[in-house]
Amino acid sequence: MKQIGVLTSGGDAPGMNAAIRAVLRRGISLGLKVVGIRRGYDGLIDGDFLAMNVSSVGDIIHRGGTILLTARSQRFERPESQDLAAVRLDRAGIDGLVVIGGEGSLHGALELARRGVPVIGVPATIDNDIAFTGNCIGFDTAVNAGAEAVNRLRDTAAAYERVFIVETMGRHSGHLALAVGVASGAESILIPELPVDTKEVCCRIARRMERGKSHSIIVMAEGAGNGFELAKRIGSSLDVELRVTVLGHVQRGGTPTAFDRLLASQLGARAVDLLQDRRGGLMVGTEGSGINAWPIDEVLRAERKIDLGLFELANVLAY
Ligand code: F6P
């Protein structure tokens, strides 16, 4: 192993830069050359490679986004593009690849592994919807951003005696909304994995009003429906004033928390160690207080289930 590549793909996640830094600096410490591949799999198909040195990753550990740029590559879904990507790596003398991203990125990594490329996946997505790891890089930052937003909204909701519906990111999964909801003491949490029960939401608001609490916060994942429609339904049953706040991409940017930086540093470095040991087709992740690696195909076959215990707890605590 003389030279390795690193790319970020899919939705950016705070901490991706810290992971790139770890890959580069661990690689250099082992005597490897490191090449950055820009714009994810699109850049791999196009040969958009960037020679990197120690200084290339200076002052980025605390920055959100990704210095390598990212893309959700539709071209890479075609087998011909996957073949071409493997050829590009071979011609550039890149002996191993680190892919930093979410589920779609891991699918891409698996295709490259099937073509003989030693590849290690590093889970990074604010959705935290990947099995076999405690946290994905970026999740902690996004939860904190969401909880901070709800803190602010609760101030104005209380002042005006309003009900706020706060939409978090998470088109297909509710891990983020659930964590934000619990951390911010939301009165109701709505996620795509469970049916939305408008009656129950109304009952909770009404019960609070009976206790003299004239404001409420409902945290809703992007994939759990339309916040404005929900507001209409609640407004037709209860005499309350409603507002909807969509957090959107605000929740995906920003400086990564120390937790995400630590995680990214450890996972990025371990990915390089595995390549150095001539391993491939694996995803690194946390297991207890340590780090482990699992076959990517196994990771992709497993579904990361919603923590129903946490959901129940949220309902009990937000009485
Ligand atoms: O990266 C994951 C995610 O942020 C989801 O939470 C969200 O549903 C989606 O990406 C948004 O994608 P885009 O940035 O392409 O609009």
Side-chain angles (χ1 to χ4, degrees):
M1 189 74 46
K2 290 197 177 111
Q3 180 167 247
I4 60 170
V6 56
L7 63 81
T8 50
S9 146
D12 51 284
M16 277 184 162
N17 279 328
I20 296 168
R21 174 179 176 271
V23 168
L24 183 119
R25 294 216 168 144
R26 174 63 125 210
I28 287 178
S29 80
L30 295 171
L32 302 173
K33 280 192 188 156
V34 182
V35 173
I37 297 156
R38 288 158 35 96
R39 299 178 2 262
Y41 291 113
D42 275 345
L44 185 50
I45 298 166
D46 298 337
D48 190 354
F49 299 161
L50 181 77
M52 297 176 91
N53 58 38
V54 186
S55 318
S56 312
V57 292
D59 288 336
I60 64 164
I61 193 168
H62 60 299
R63 299 218 182 275
T66 159
I67 58 161
L68 289 177
L69 313 180
T70 188
R72 296 187 202 279
S73 175
Q74 290 187 343
R75 280 192 290 157
F76 193 71
E77 284 166 22
R78 296 200 295 269
E80 319 77 90
S81 301
Q82 296 158 4
D83 293 341
L84 175 60
V87 170
R88 287 262 192 232
L89 289 168
D90 188 46
R91 287 207 186 131
I94 297 172
D95 313 308
L97 179 68
V98 178
V99 169
I100 303 167
E103 196 190 340
S105 313
L106 288 175
H107 276 287
L110 184 60
E111 289 306 331
L112 290 173
R114 285 181 175 144
R115 285 162 176 77
V117 177
V119 52
I120 304 290
V122 174
T125 165
I126 64 165
D127 289 349
N128 211 34
D129 56 350
I130 295 174
F132 283 87
T133 182
N135 263 26
C136 298
I137 296 167
F139 178 63
D140 185 64
T141 307
V143 173
N144 277 283
E148 163 67 18
V150 176
N151 291 347
R152 289 166 186 261
L153 292 171
R154 201 180 272 285
D155 287 347
T156 175
Y160 252 104
E161 304 184 279
R162 283 172 172 162
V163 174
F164 266 77
I165 297 171
V166 187
E167 187 187 297
T168 70
M169 288 208 117
R171 206 163 24 208
H172 303 298
S173 80
H175 300 283
L176 181 58
L178 177 56
V180 169
V182 174
S184 61
E187 280 67 51
S188 291
I189 301 172
L190 308 175
I191 53 177
E193 291 83 351
L194 295 171
V196 172
D197 185 346
T198 311
K199 243 190 188 166
E200 170 65 16
V201 173
C202 290
C203 279
R204 286 177 165 272
I205 297 169
R207 201 162 58 200
R208 270 173 70 80
M209 286 163 80
E210 277 161 26
R211 282 196 300 122
K213 292 267 186 186
S214 51
H215 75 277
S216 277
I217 301 282
I218 299 161
V219 169
M220 178 178 197
E222 191 186 341
N226 182 308
F228 294 93
E229 293 296 325
L230 178 68
K232 271 193 213 148
R233 292 203 299 275
I234 296 172
S236 66
S237 312
L238 292 176
D239 183 20
V240 287
E241 212 183 330
L242 288 126
R243 290 290 184 272
V244 180
T245 299
V246 178
L247 298 183
H249 293 77
V250 165
Q251 207 176 6
R252 210 163 74 186
T255 188
T257 57
F259 179 92
D260 274 329
R261 298 180 208 184
L262 277 166
L263 179 67
S265 300
Q266 291 172 295
L267 295 184
R270 178 61 67 87
V272 177
D273 292 345
L274 288 166
L275 286 177
Q276 176 80 346
D277 290 345
R278 309 227 150 251
R279 310 274 308 275
L282 301 172
M283 183 196 82
V284 288
T286 60
E287 188 176 48
S289 58
I291 291 171
N292 210 340
W294 300 269
I296 294 175
D297 54 351
E298 214 178 301
V299 172
L300 289 173
R301 274 198 307 272
E303 185 196 343
R304 184 172 187 134
K305 296 231 160 62
I306 276 291
D307 184 346
L308 289 176
L310 186 61
F311 188 79
E312 297 294 323
L313 180 65
N315 284 339
V316 171
L317 298 185
Y319 191 75

